[in-house]
C-alpha cells in the first residue's frame, strides 16, 4: 500500500487564536502522561491506517522527558488534542503527529496547538525552521497547516506493509 505525503515548511508563522468559548490551554506532557500519550498515539495510528504500528512505552517516556509531546487540555484537564515532534537538530524540528479525537474536532484545537508549539520551538528553543509531513488524503488538516503559514515543499511516497 502506498501513502503519499507532503513535506511542508514554515514560511511565516500565523498564530491561531485560542479556540472561541473554550477554556483550554496548551501543555507539554510529563512522564506521568505516557499512558494517555500512548493511547492517543494509537488512535492516531489506527485512523491513518497504521494499525500495525506499536511503539513501546519507553518511546513515549523519552518524548515526554525531552518535552517533544504536547496536549491541549480542557477545563477538566482532559487532553483533547495531541502534537508530537521529532527530528530535532540544532536548527530545525519536525512536527510528526497531530491528532484530535473525532469527538473534539472542529473547535480549533489542532490549529491552536500547532501554532503554539511552532512558536515555542522558534522563539524559546531557538530553532530556525519547523517542518511537518502531511498526508494528502486529509485536505482539512492540510488547510489548517496552510493557514498557519506552512507551505508545500515537496511530496514523497511511503510503502506501508500489508496488515
Amino acid at each position: 500500500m502506498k501513502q503519499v505525503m507532503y513535506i511542508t515548511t514554515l514560511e511565516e508563522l500565523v498564530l491561531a487564536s485560542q479556540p472561541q468559548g473554550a477554556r483550554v490551554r496548551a501543555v507539554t506532557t510529563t512522564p506521568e502522561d505516557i499512558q494517555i500519550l500512548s493511547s492517543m498515539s494509537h488512535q492516531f495510528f489506527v485512523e491513518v491506517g497504521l494499525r500495525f504500528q506499536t511503539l513501546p512505552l519507553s518511546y513515549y517516556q523519552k518524548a515526554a522527558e525531552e518535552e517533544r509531546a504536547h496536549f491541549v487540555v480542557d477545563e477538566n484537564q482532559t487532553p483533547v488534542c495531541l502534537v508530537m515532534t521529532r527530528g530535532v537538530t540544532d536548527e530545525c524540528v519536525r512536527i510528526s503527529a497531530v491528532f484530535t479525537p473525532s469527538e473534539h474536532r472542529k473547535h480549533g484545537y489542532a490549529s491552536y496547538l500547532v501554532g503554539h508549539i511552532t512558536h515555542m520551538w522558534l522563539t524559546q528553543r531557538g530553532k530556525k525552521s519547523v517542518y511537518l509531513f502531511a498526508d494528502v488524503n486529509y485536505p482539512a488538516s492540510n488547510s489548517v497547516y496552510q493557514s498557519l503559514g506552512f507551505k508545500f515543499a515537496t511530496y514523497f511516497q511511503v510503502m506501508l506493509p500489508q496488515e
Side-chain angles (χ1 to χ4, degrees), residues 8-16 26 28 67-68 70 83-85 91-98 110-132 144-145 147-150:
T8 63
T9 59
L10 184 68
E11 289 194 355
E12 182 177 342
L13 179 61
V14 178
L15 283 174
T28 300
E67 298 182 338
R68 293 186 295 103
H70 312 272
V83 171
M84 293 188 67
T85 57
E91 294 193 4
C92 70
V93 63
R94 174 173 60 98
I95 295 174
S96 62
V98 178
S111 299
Y112 170 64
L113 189 54
V114 169
H116 176 82
I117 67 160
T118 298
H119 183 259
M120 176 195 71
W121 280 100
L122 292 171
T123 62
Q124 297 171 15
R125 297 192 181 175
K127 301 303 175 198
K128 295 178 183 172
S129 178
V130 177
Y131 63 102
L132 61 83
V144 166
Y145 307 139
S147 72
L148 293 169
F150 286 90

Side-chain angles (χ1 to χ4, degrees), residues 3-11 92-96 129-137 142 145-146 149-158:
Q3 183 178 20
V4 179
M5 303 288 290
Y6 291 124
I7 297 176
T8 63
T9 59
L10 184 68
E11 289 194 355
C92 70
V93 63
R94 174 173 60 98
I95 295 174
S96 62
S129 178
V130 177
Y131 63 102
L132 61 83
F133 293 172
D135 189 327
V136 299
N137 294 316
N142 294 334
Y145 307 139
Q146 291 170 1
F150 286 90
K151 303 294 182 209
F152 171 80
T154 191
Y155 72 94
F156 65 98
Q157 291 185 2
V158 178

Side-chain angles (χ1 to χ4, degrees), residues 3 9 11 16 19 26 32 35-36 48 52-53 68 78 80 85 87 91 100 103 106 110 121 136 143 148 161 163:
Q3 183 178 20
T9 59
E11 289 194 355
E32 290 77 32
Q35 290 294 340
I36 188 71
V48 299
F52 59 87
Q53 182 74 31
R68 293 186 295 103
T78 302
V80 295
T85 57
E91 294 193 4
T100 305
E103 65 272 19
K106 305 288 183 199
W121 280 100
V136 299
S143 68
L148 293 169
E163 289 188 60

